[in-house]
């Protein structure tokens, strides 16, 4: 039991780190765009940040795409993470990351194999019903 728990914990730590990076870059892109909008409209909030740099946008997009790619390849600790991968794959969010659909499907298959071979221990009352 402890072996399964430790293996899942390692996967969970890696997954949470990958998700945090993806969320961070997505938030940076949203903030970058928000700064552009307020500065473009001459709103006072626009003076709180340095002048908008159009060239920075593609750098942020590149970092975001790299984060998404890392998250696709990070081993899933639970089925909800596998579902995230499936939904993002179906939505085409892997495009422009350098990953093929086939590579992501291989990662998902490996996740499912791991989860099947490292079951979660059920509570005793669930086992007896």
């Amino acid at each position: 039991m402890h072996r399964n728990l430790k293996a899942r914990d390692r996967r969970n730590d890696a997954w949470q780190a990958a998700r945090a990076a993806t969320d961070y870059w997505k938030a940076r892109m949203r903030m970058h765009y928000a700064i552009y909008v307020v500065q473009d409209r001459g709103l006072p909030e626009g003076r709180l940040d340095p002048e908008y740099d159009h060239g920075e946008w593609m750098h942020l997009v590149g970092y975001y795409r790299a984060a998404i790619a890392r998250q696709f390849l990070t081993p899933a600790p639970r089925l909800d993470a596998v579902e995230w991968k499936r939904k993002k794959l179906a939505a085409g969010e892997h495009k422009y990351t350098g990953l093929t659909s086939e590579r992501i499907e291989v990662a998902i298959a490996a996740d499912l194999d791991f989860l099947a071979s490292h079951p979660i221990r059920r509570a005793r009352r669930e086992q007896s019903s």
Side-chain angles (χ1 to χ4, degrees):
M1 181 197 114
H2 291 290
R3 185 178 59 98
N4 283 354
L5 180 62
K6 287 181 181 183
R8 282 179 176 268
D9 283 348
R10 283 190 302 273
R11 282 176 162 251
N12 190 58
D13 290 346
W15 181 259
Q16 294 304 326
R19 190 174 92 182
T22 299
D23 290 347
Y24 172 82
W25 289 111
K26 189 170 189 169
R28 285 282 306 261
M29 289 170 53
R30 283 193 308 263
M31 189 62 189
H32 191 73
Y33 179 72
I35 291 167
Y36 164 73
V37 170
V38 296
Q39 288 181 353
D40 186 58
R41 294 192 167 99
L43 299 174
E45 291 85 351
R47 293 190 293 272
L48 297 173
D49 292 286
E51 188 173 332
Y52 179 82
D53 177 4
H54 291 280
E56 186 180 1
W57 177 253
M58 286 312 294
H59 292 291
L60 295 175
V61 169
Y63 288 126
Y64 175 70
R65 289 174 178 167
I68 285 281
R70 280 192 307 276
Q71 193 168 358
F72 270 122
L73 298 180
T74 298
R78 295 175 312 280
L79 283 175
D80 64 332
V82 174
E83 274 309 302
W84 178 92
K85 291 181 183 188
R86 286 177 170 158
K87 286 179 184 176
K88 296 294 184 179
L89 177 61
E93 293 203 27
H94 64 294
K95 294 179 183 172
Y96 313 111
T97 64
L99 296 177
T100 63
S101 298
E102 293 78 17
R103 176 62 183 99
I104 296 167
E105 289 166 356
V106 167
I108 290 171
D111 292 336
L112 293 173
D113 286 346
F114 172 86
L115 294 172
S117 66
H118 292 81
I120 296 175
R121 184 174 173 192
R122 304 278 183 228
R124 286 185 189 185
R125 66 184 154 205
E126 286 180 24
Q127 291 174 355
S128 62
S129 19

